[in-house]
Amino acid sequence: MQTFLEFEKPIAELEGKIEELRHLTNAGDINIADEVTKLQTKVDKLLRQTYAKLTPAQKVQVARHPNRPHCLDYVKGLIDDFTPLAGDRGFAEDRAVIGGLGRFRGRSVVVIGQEKGHDTETRVRHNFGMAKPEGYRKAQRLMDLADRFTLPVVSLVDTAGAFPGVQAEERGQAEAIAKSIERCLRLTVPMVAAVIGEGGSGGAIAIATADRVLMLEHAIYSVISPEGCASILWRNPDMAGEAAVALRLISHDLKELGVIDRVVSEPIGGAHRDPAETVKALGDAIEESLGDLDGLDGEAIRAQRRQKFLDMGQKGLG
C-alpha cells in the first residue's frame, strides 16, 4: 500500500481517482482506459514538478519514507551468496548493523550496513537502525576481516544516529564510533560507502569514512537531525524546517561542499516508487567507484583516503 507524504496530497488525490476508474467498466461514451491514461499523464507531470523543487524539510520526509528501500533490500538485490556474520566477539550481536560476505557483480566483498526495518516487528528487532557499541565493534571486526583477505568493503548508511541510551553510553558508545572511524582510515582495501536514507551524525560516519562516498538524490546526511538542531538552537522543535536549510543536509549541497563524491539519481517520485530501479542505479554507481580504485596498492589507497578527510579539515568545506 502506497504511503503519501503531506506535500504529496494532490498526487494522492489523482492516484485515488485512477484506482477508482480501474474498478469501473466502460459506460456510455466514457472510455475508462483513455481516462486513466490522461490522469496518469497528469500524475507523472505533477510528480516531476513537485520533486524538482523539494525543500530540505521535504527531502527529510522523503529520506524517512516508510516504503523506501533499506539495507537488506540492497543486499538482496545486489549481493549474491550473502553470508551474514554476527556478533562483536565481546558483548553481543547488534541487529541494527548488518554485515557479512558476498559477491557483488562477480567481485567478493565485505558488506556492512544499517537496517531500519519495514514494519513494527522488524523495526523493533533492528532497533530502528540505531546501533549500540557492539554494532560498531562488529563493523570493526568485519573491516579487519576485509583487510586480512584483501576484500573491498561496501557500506550502506541508513541511521538517524547511534543509539542514545544510557546502556550504550556505559558500554562506550563514543569510543566504539571513534574506533570504527579510525579503522576505516586504516583500511588498505577499497571502501565505498553509500548513504541510502538518513546519514545521522557519528552513527553514519562510523561506517562512511570511505574512499568514495555516494549518496542517493533524496537522502540526507548531517551532524544532527533537524529536530535535534532546532531543539538546541531555538529551544523549539517546530523550527526543524529552518534547521534543515541551515544544516545543508541534502545531496546536492553536500556534493558542492565536497563532503560526498557522487549523487545517485532516484526515480521520479523517490526511491520508494521504484525500489528495483533505485537498487540497480546504486549498484551501477558502486561498481564504477570500485573500478576507479582497481590497480592501486593498499598503501596508496590508505594514503588517498586519509588525505581526502584531512583536506576537509585543513582547507575547509566549500
Side-chain angles (χ1 to χ4, degrees), residues 21-65:
L21 286 172
R22 282 175 175 161
H23 287 86
L24 298 176
T25 56
N26 289 340
D29 297 330
I30 300 175
N31 187 309
I32 301 298
D34 287 347
E35 289 299 315
V36 167
T37 300
K38 290 176 183 177
L39 285 175
Q40 189 60 55
T41 300
K42 289 182 179 179
V43 168
D44 294 341
K45 182 179 180 181
L46 191 55
L47 272 173
R48 287 189 179 88
Q49 292 174 342
T50 301
Y51 275 78
K53 54 182 181 181
L54 290 181
T55 66
Q58 289 170 337
K59 291 258 190 181
V60 172
Q61 293 180 51
V62 178
R64 295 171 176 171
H65 197 287

Side-chain angles (χ1 to χ4, degrees), residues 278-297:
T278 305
V279 170
K280 180 183 181 301
L282 185 64
D284 292 342
I286 292 172
E287 185 176 24
E288 289 178 26
S289 296
L290 287 173
D292 291 342
L293 300 166
D294 283 342
L296 295 176
D297 63 58

Side-chain angles (χ1 to χ4, degrees), residues 72-95:
L72 286 174
D73 298 310
Y74 290 94
V75 170
K76 182 179 179 180
L78 297 175
I79 308 299
D80 296 322
D81 303 321
F82 180 67
T83 302
L85 299 175
D88 67 342
R89 301 298 185 267
F91 183 78
E93 159 67 349
D94 188 332
R95 291 190 177 91

Side-chain angles (χ1 to χ4, degrees), residues 82-87 93 97-101 138 141-142 145:
F82 180 67
T83 302
L85 299 175
E93 159 67 349
V97 174
I98 302 298
L101 301 168
K138 175 168 74 172
R141 183 172 74 84
L142 292 172
L145 186 70

Side-chain angles (χ1 to χ4, degrees), residues 70-274:
H70 296 310
C71 175
L72 286 174
D73 298 310
Y74 290 94
V75 170
K76 182 179 179 180
L78 297 175
I79 308 299
D80 296 322
D81 303 321
F82 180 67
T83 302
L85 299 175
D88 67 342
R89 301 298 185 267
F91 183 78
E93 159 67 349
D94 188 332
R95 291 190 177 91
V97 174
I98 302 298
L101 301 168
R103 295 186 68 80
F104 169 69
R105 298 186 176 179
R107 185 195 299 253
S108 295
V109 297
V110 168
V111 181
I112 303 170
Q114 291 144 336
E115 173 61 33
K116 284 184 171 181
H118 280 290
D119 53 29
T120 301
E121 181 184 350
T122 55
R123 285 168 189 156
V124 171
R125 183 191 311 149
H126 295 291
N127 200 33
F128 300 87
M130 295 186 292
K132 299 172 184 177
E134 50 269 25
Y136 296 109
R137 291 176 179 134
K138 175 168 74 172
Q140 295 166 42
R141 183 172 74 84
L142 292 172
M143 285 187 264
D144 286 338
L145 186 70
D147 238 359
R148 188 174 304 123
F149 293 103
T150 62
L151 300 174
V153 176
V154 175
S155 69
L156 301 168
V157 180
D158 191 12
T159 181
F163 184 67
V166 173
Q167 290 181 340
E169 297 297 339
E170 289 175 343
R171 294 200 296 274
Q173 184 73 288
E175 182 267 352
I177 291 172
K179 286 286 188 182
S180 190
I181 295 171
E182 180 191 33
R183 191 66 193 89
C184 289
L185 291 169
R186 287 197 289 114
L187 278 174
T188 57
V189 295
M191 182 174 184
V192 175
V195 183
I196 58 175
E198 284 188 274
S201 191
I205 298 171
I207 62 169
T209 312
D211 301 291
R212 299 288 186 274
V213 180
L214 315 178
M215 189 171 172
L216 288 179
E217 181 182 1
H218 300 308
I220 58 172
Y221 192 20
S222 63
V223 70
I224 191 172
S225 70
E227 295 83 1
C229 177
S231 295
I232 291 171
L233 294 184
W234 292 287
R235 301 290 192 271
N236 182 1
D238 293 336
M239 298 288 287
E242 288 77 0
V245 175
L247 285 167
R248 299 195 69 181
L249 44 62
I250 64 175
S251 59
H252 294 287
D253 280 351
L254 293 166
K255 177 67 172 67
E256 182 183 333
L257 291 168
V259 175
I260 65 169
D261 301 293
R262 178 173 173 177
V263 177
V264 180
S265 297
E266 296 185 24
I268 295 170
H272 56 279
R273 283 190 168 263
D274 194 342

